[in-house]
């Protein structure tokens, strides 16, 4: 059983389109995240959710809108896609964001290419 | 603000040798966790090892150990008896407390290549 699963794995789309990435975790974790990995492999936090509530928004453009229907799901919707949005997007989850010793488990990533 | 620094963009090591990947961190938190992740060419992020700031002993997980030097704010990953399958990107990461607890921040990574 996959612990954190994202769909789709690959996404190629044209500039200006709107797209969504879905994420689900079956670990029973309370906290979920979206990370962006750029072409230089740098990983940057975008959003953190705890029990469906947004707790971090790291100055991400408002074209990016996360949505958590329940604590096992965190989706990412991107409006008006731009070339600079091309990256690998990772969903992750952890037990409890307030516990500093808690590691995060990552999904397999979604490679988004905007053409 | 918290920061993770990995100063080795790339390393080449002979198979079966031990390798140390460097990581230094900066935080004003008293309590924090340090992590290492592996990212093979297939792209997934694999959790390797964890060290808590109050842990007196260095963490070990199989061939992985974490050389934790709190006063120097370093958390180096040591891989013993390297294998070809260890070729990957390795990321050092940290989670702090209070407002810093809600995210894990990552260093820029080290690309490790194992030579047969």
């Amino acid at each position: 059983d996959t612990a954190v699963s994202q769909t789709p794995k690959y996404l190629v789309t044209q500039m200006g389109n709107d797209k969504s990435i879905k994420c689900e975790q079956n670990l029973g974790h309370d906290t979920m995240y979206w990370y962006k990995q750029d072409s230089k492999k740098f990983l940057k936090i975008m959003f953190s959710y705890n029990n469906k509530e947004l707790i971090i928004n790291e100055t991400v453009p408002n074209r990016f809108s996360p949505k958590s229907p329940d604590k096992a799901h965190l989706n990412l919707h991107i409006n008006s896609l731009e070339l600079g949005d091309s990256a690998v997007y990772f969903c992750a989850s952890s037990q409890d964001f307030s516990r500093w010793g808690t590691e995060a488990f990552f999904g397999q990533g979604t490679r988004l290419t905007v053409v | 603000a918290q920061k993770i620094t990995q100063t080795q963009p790339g390393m080449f090591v002979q198979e079966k040798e031990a390798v140390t990947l460097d990581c230094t961190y900066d935080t004003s938190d008293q309590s924090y966790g340090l992590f290492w992740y592996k990212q093979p060419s297939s792209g997934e992020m694999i959790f390797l090892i964890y060290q808590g700031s109050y842990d007196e002993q260095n963490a070990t997980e199989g061939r992985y150990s974490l050389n934790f030097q709190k006063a120097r704010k370093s958390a180096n990953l040591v891989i013993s008896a390297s294998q070809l399958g260890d070729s990957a990107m390795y990321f050092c990461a940290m989670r702090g407390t209070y407002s810093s607890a809600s995210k894990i921040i990552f260093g820029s990574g080290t690309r490790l290549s194992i030579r047969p």
Side-chain angles (χ1 to χ4, degrees), chain A residues 33 35 37 40-43 45 48 55-56 58 90 94 97-104 106-108, chain B residues 31-33 35 37 39 43 45 47 50 52-54 89 91 95-97 101-104 106 108 111:
Chain A
Y33 315 83
Y35 280 84
Q37 187 174 42
K40 295 184 178 178
K41 299 292 188 181
F42 187 69
L43 272 156
I45 182 79
S48 294
I55 51 174
I56 276 194
E58 285 284 302
F90 283 98
S94 66
F97 78 96
S98 63
R99 293 172 56 192
W100 44 269
T102 307
E103 70 271 24
F106 283 75
Q108 75 272 34
Chain B
S31 305
Y32 49 89
F35 311 88
Y37 285 82
Q39 186 177 38
M45 294 287 291
F47 166 70
Y50 158 78
S53 56
Y54 292 114
M89 284 288 289
F91 293 94
R95 185 199 295 270
T97 48
S102 51
K103 60 185 176 183
I104 295 178
F106 287 82
S108 54
R111 184 176 295 279

Side-chain angles (χ1 to χ4, degrees), chain B:
Chain B
Q2 300 187 319
K3 188 177 179 182
I4 295 280
T5 302
Q6 294 180 253
T7 57
Q8 305 154 309
M11 289 185 70
F12 286 89
V13 171
Q14 204 67 30
E15 191 181 7
K16 299 182 185 176
E17 290 183 349
V19 56
T20 298
L21 305 181
D22 294 340
C23 172
T24 57
Y25 60 92
D26 190 22
T27 181
S28 55
D29 290 340
Q30 296 300 308
S31 305
Y32 49 89
L34 296 157
F35 311 88
W36 278 91
Y37 285 82
K38 173 183 179 181
Q39 186 177 38
S41 58
S42 50
E44 71 268 32
M45 294 287 291
I46 302 167
F47 166 70
L48 294 178
I49 195 167
Y50 158 78
Q51 179 85 40
S53 56
Y54 292 114
D55 294 340
E56 293 187 351
Q57 291 197 332
N58 288 337
T60 60
E61 288 287 347
R63 294 186 299 112
Y64 304 108
S65 59
L66 201 154
N67 184 358
F68 179 47
Q69 298 187 46
K70 192 171 182 177
R72 297 180 62 184
K73 293 191 173 179
S74 75
N76 298 338
L77 178 70
V78 180
I79 306 174
S80 62
S82 57
Q83 302 171 355
L84 295 178
D86 294 333
S87 293
M89 284 288 289
Y90 289 82
F91 293 94
C92 181
M94 177 171 66
R95 185 199 295 270
T97 48
Y98 305 110
S99 62
S100 302
S102 51
K103 60 185 176 183
I104 295 178
I105 62 164
F106 287 82
S108 54
T110 296
R111 184 176 295 279
L112 177 64
S113 300
I114 307 298
R115 293 194 183 107

Side-chain angles (χ1 to χ4, degrees), chain A residues 2-4 24-30 93-95 105:
Chain A
T2 304
V4 183
E24 176 182 4
Q25 54 96 2
N26 63 6
L27 297 166
H29 288 166
D30 292 325
S93 72
S94 66
Q95 273 187 331
F105 294 88

